[in-house]
Amino acid sequence: AAQMQVLALTDALVFLQIVALYMVVSRLTRLESQLRGVVGSGPAAPRAGAPLPTGVAKPTSPRAVAALAGAKRSGLPTAESLLPDAPKKGFRTADEWAPLTPAELAVAVRVRDWLGAERFSTVPNDLLVTFIRGYAYRADWAESTYVFLERTLTWRAERKLDRVIARTMPNRHTFETVCPSGPVGFDDEGHMVICERLGRTDVARLFENFDEEEYVAHQAFSREVVRAFCTANSLQRQRRLYKVVVLLDMKGMGMAHVSKRLISIVKTVNSLFGWYYPETVHKFYVINAPFIFRTAWSMIRPLVHPITAAKFSILGPDWLTKVQAAGIELNGGDIPATLPSWSAGAKQLLEEHPEELLVNGWMPPADVEALQHLRRT
């Protein structure tokens, strides 16, 4: 009987690890929104009559509904009018630091015309570039950029995100304690490295203190602080860097971490952020992954598009040596026992930089001049 119990426990752990792997791969494909068409996975653009992606609600506020109806009447692009989500042949994602090309500026002109000059002027510099480049693989490049950027601007306005890093989030200390995440270093190209300790998420305390709406709000706050860090990093290096390297730490993973409720809210956030923060992940490492987890990935990897597979690594106990070999330098040489606080980081950034800069994002001077000219015409 004891042997049967051990076997049952082993089977349960194997199941747990495979489910966790599915969650990680699913998250990667959603975060890598520029690969939606290239890979043929992740959320596709909504078609006429098709449901919107998980976590992306249809417009419900009177203002949003009226705006959608007005867009249809005026002939503006809508989600329903977009072409099938198919990539251009030979598409290659632009380097973050590369200047805006004439083709990208031409897309910006069309987006400005559809949004209107006043609303276009409020789009943060970094978000504008990530949307233009995040949908460059599509045949309807300008139309899809406009549709998803416009939806994002509405979402950001409803959540008052433009200056959220300067606000005090209720119960923030508790959230950062139960969902540990923070900046831990840089790679050799200058990308910020962040660590998310999924295996140390205190699932019981999370649901004792936060519902799904509050969870999304806190994760959005963290994501806006990441934007601010990227802006400060770009300014210091004089090099546009809007992508980050993610270390997803599996140490401490248990059955609570694959509960239906936790999976549901994680999927909601991944879907939302895949749409509202496109083109923002450079590399994704799963660290402290158990052996069965790595074995499962070795079987799945040949089925994954090479572009995605190249960005995605699953590492075991020797992860530190391997990420260092990949050019990642962690502050202090390792991940600290307690991760730096996003809220404390936001406060420090606001002491060191004007809020307006952190809100608007950094852009190379030549691109600033080109966009200023565009906004004036």
Side-chain angles (χ1 to χ4, degrees), residues 41-361:
S41 61
R47 314 288 190 273
L52 290 173
T54 302
V56 182
K58 292 182 178 179
T60 55
S61 69
R63 180 179 178 182
V65 172
L68 178 59
K72 290 179 177 179
R73 287 194 301 270
S74 64
L76 293 174
T78 65
E80 292 80 4
S81 68
L82 295 180
L83 297 175
D85 193 17
K88 303 171 186 174
K89 290 184 179 180
F91 170 76
R92 180 185 177 278
T93 303
D95 292 329
E96 298 154 74
W97 44 85
L100 291 172
T101 65
E104 289 172 333
L105 288 169
V107 169
V109 169
R110 297 185 69 188
V111 170
R112 186 229 23 214
D113 291 343
W114 287 323
L115 279 177
E118 182 177 354
R119 196 175 187 198
F120 182 79
S121 69
T122 68
V123 180
N125 292 324
D126 58 326
L127 285 186
L128 178 63
V129 175
T130 60
F131 272 85
I132 289 175
R133 291 180 170 171
Y135 292 96
Y137 70 88
R138 294 178 58 110
D140 54 353
W141 181 8
E143 290 83 357
S144 57
T145 299
Y146 163 75
V147 166
F148 298 118
L149 177 57
E150 195 282 330
R151 177 177 292 165
T152 297
L153 295 176
T154 299
W155 178 76
R156 292 178 63 83
E158 290 172 349
R159 291 186 169 273
K160 299 179 173 61
L161 288 182
D162 282 345
R163 298 184 182 274
V164 70
I165 64 170
R167 298 202 300 268
T168 301
M169 293 287 291
N171 216 8
R172 181 66 191 180
H173 176 73
T174 300
F175 184 83
E176 292 187 349
T177 301
V178 301
C179 294
S181 171
V184 293
F186 296 92
D187 74 359
D188 53 5
E189 291 185 326
H191 297 102
M192 184 173 72
V193 179
I194 67 176
C195 178
E196 297 185 5
R197 283 189 163 139
L198 177 63
R200 298 190 186 180
T201 298
D202 189 331
V203 180
R205 286 187 65 195
L206 172 65
F207 291 122
E208 284 173 5
N209 290 277
F210 306 96
D211 59 23
E212 181 175 297
E213 174 62 23
E214 292 166 332
Y215 179 82
V216 171
H218 279 282
Q219 292 288 15
F221 174 87
S222 298
R223 191 62 192 81
E224 288 297 303
V225 180
V226 171
R227 278 190 58 230
F229 267 106
C230 287
T231 294
N233 183 38
S234 298
L235 174 65
Q236 179 180 353
R237 298 173 187 270
Q238 290 294 294
R239 176 182 172 91
R240 177 165 47 208
L241 293 161
Y242 46 74
K243 297 182 182 181
V244 298
V245 175
V246 179
L247 304 181
L248 185 67
D249 190 356
M250 306 294 287
K251 188 174 182 179
M253 194 83 176
M255 293 301 295
H257 297 99
V258 290
S259 67
K260 183 177 180 181
R261 190 176 179 189
L262 183 63
I263 290 174
S264 175
I265 65 169
V266 170
K267 285 176 65 177
T268 294
V269 167
N270 289 345
S271 182
L272 284 170
F273 288 9
W275 290 93
Y276 298 145
Y277 297 100
E279 190 75 1
T280 52
V281 174
H282 177 60
K283 294 279 188 179
F284 195 101
Y285 295 89
V286 180
I287 63 174
N288 288 313
F291 175 76
I292 188 64
F293 199 97
R294 304 195 302 276
T295 301
W297 170 243
S298 69
M299 293 185 290
I300 293 172
R301 184 185 176 102
L303 306 176
V304 177
H305 192 282
I307 296 176
T308 300
K311 293 175 177 286
F312 186 54
S313 299
I314 296 185
L315 308 176
D318 59 345
W319 66 268
L320 181 57
T321 300
K322 291 186 176 180
V323 299
Q324 288 174 338
I328 291 176
E329 183 175 346
L330 300 177
N331 301 330
D334 202 346
I335 298 175
T338 301
L339 294 177
S341 160
W342 287 123
S343 52
K347 182 177 179 181
Q348 181 177 346
L349 286 172
L350 288 165
E351 291 173 352
E352 297 173 352
H353 304 282
E355 182 182 354
E356 201 69 23
L357 169 68
L358 299 175
V359 168
N360 289 334

